[in-house]
Amino acid sequence: MDHPNAPEVVKQARRMIDVADARHPGLVEICRTNPMRVADMWRDDVLIEFVDDGVNGSGRLGPDGVPATCHMETGDGRPVLRVFRYRAKSRTYFSLLHELGHYLQRTDPGLAVALLGQDAEAGIDFEERACDAFASRVLLPDALVSDVIERCGGVNAYAACTLAENSMASRSCVAKRLVDIMPNPGMIAVYGAWKGMFCVTTGGFPPYEPETPLARYYDRIHDYMDQRYLLWHARRAERFDLTPGDLPVDLRDGAPARMSMCFQRVGGRYQCFMVFEDGLRGTAG
Ligand SMILES: [Zn+2]
């Protein structure tokens, strides 16, 4: 099981949503508008402790050097979910749901059995991946994702922007989710995101080196992002769909691809989704 969203991981994540709904109905619904209400909804089951994110903002360790966790035993009998409070609220929501995912997998016999089916190392990895897949599917329900993709004519920048506008998920969460369902090899970039640019390819997160899959798209991203007139438009609109259809582009290795691009104003700044899909000429005509 190498892929983070192998079918068995996705299956576990969907079962986790069912288990959560059986205990407290409406998780997906409240997370469309205010995921922080999860803390109230589950207050009899778990003690949720919010901790400010560590100095380096990496999200791996809190200021006291302790990672975000789900501790199963505490004094008052409730497990403690230790959740980082990030500057970007969408990251806090994801962290909260990820930790709730651990709690569900450790307290529901059916979910726990799926963990036991993995060998020791893979079991931990499986549990973590299922928590991520669960958080992603609560914030971006399958039905919403398929509806938006259909309305936007496929996995493209407009679908990505529309999902970001209609959910509490972060743009990187949207990118990771969509890249998994791209029908061809490709890449999704979020420009202007946390730490500059976030990129994910259909093969996962390759490091940036001259001959990696990521590098094939990189030059094209900079070609477009260096165009000042694009930014001029982007700064004047709440949302700016650059290409009415997909644009044909040649990648660094000469291979054909198509690209879509969509700017969106987020808190006074703009962010941009770029979606590349290999092997197809543009359909814009
Ligand atoms: Zn975890």
Side-chain angles (χ1 to χ4, degrees):
M1 190 194 66
D2 293 312
H3 199 272
N5 288 311
E8 58 268 42
V9 171
V10 173
K11 202 167 136 199
Q12 176 84 337
R14 290 188 178 133
R15 277 197 302 241
M16 288 158 76
I17 294 179
D18 292 342
V19 168
D21 263 332
R23 295 188 190 174
H24 300 286
L27 178 65
V28 169
E29 286 71 24
I30 66 165
C31 289
R32 281 296 289 277
T33 52
N34 185 5
M36 291 309 260
R37 281 181 55 207
V38 167
D40 276 340
M41 200 176 186
W42 289 77
R43 74 149 64 97
D44 292 338
D45 307 67
V46 289
L47 176 64
I48 297 176
E49 201 181 284
F50 287 98
V51 189
D52 286 328
D53 180 26
V55 180
N56 62 6
S58 73
R60 289 177 183 277
L61 298 174
D64 52 2
V66 179
T69 50
C70 168
H71 280 301
M72 294 308 289
E73 283 150 54
T74 60
D76 76 354
R78 288 179 297 171
V80 176
L81 305 189
R82 191 169 191 273
V83 176
F84 289 145
R85 202 193 320 262
Y86 296 95
R87 248 193 350 200
K89 288 197 181 91
S90 55
R91 295 188 70 209
T92 306
Y93 303 153
F94 193 93
S95 173
L96 171 59
L97 291 166
H98 175 103
E99 298 307 329
L100 183 66
H102 281 298
Y103 170 74
L104 292 169
Q105 293 190 87
R106 292 170 192 182
T107 53
D108 179 80
L111 296 173
V113 164
L115 299 183
L116 295 175
Q118 314 284 326
D119 62 57
E121 273 290 290
I124 295 166
D125 207 31
F126 180 89
E127 182 178 345
E128 290 298 337
R129 290 173 180 195
C131 287
D132 281 349
F134 166 74
S136 170
R137 276 165 181 77
V138 170
L139 293 167
L140 297 167
D142 288 327
L144 174 71
V145 172
S146 48
D147 176 58
V148 167
I149 288 174
E150 202 187 316
R151 276 193 286 138
C152 296
V155 177
N156 52 37
Y158 326 115
C161 244
T162 305
L163 281 175
E165 283 167 355
N166 288 284
S167 73
M168 303 306 279
S170 67
R171 279 159 183 76
S172 54
C173 179
V174 168
K176 279 190 265 186
R177 184 62 178 285
L178 287 181
V179 89
D180 277 337
I181 44 182
M182 282 179 83
N184 294 296
M187 184 261 224
I188 301 183
V190 187
Y191 200 90
W194 184 68
K195 288 190 178 169
M197 182 153 70
F198 173 88
C199 297
V200 58
T201 70
T202 42
F205 297 100
Y208 176 72
E209 281 161 15
E211 299 312 323
T212 61
L214 199 55
R216 300 174 66 234
Y217 308 104
Y218 232 76
D219 299 348
R220 295 297 160 265
I221 293 178
H222 288 293
D223 286 351
Y224 283 94
M225 295 315 293
D226 287 346
Q227 303 289 326
R228 281 164 189 261
Y229 72 94
L230 287 183
L231 304 187
W232 188 89
H233 280 294
R235 289 197 184 103
R236 279 156 187 78
E238 285 302 307
R239 176 167 162 175
F240 173 48
D241 292 357
L242 170 68
T243 42
D246 294 337
L247 213 65
V249 290
D250 289 318
L251 300 180
R252 179 188 281 186
D253 55 10
R258 59 184 188 181
M259 186 210 62
S260 54
M261 192 172 183
C262 183
F263 290 87
Q264 194 172 31
R265 188 187 299 279
V266 184
R269 295 168 56 221
Y270 68 85
Q271 294 201 355
C272 175
F273 274 111
M274 293 176 95
V275 177
F276 290 87
E277 192 176 342
D278 278 30
L280 294 159
R281 288 290 174 191
T283 53

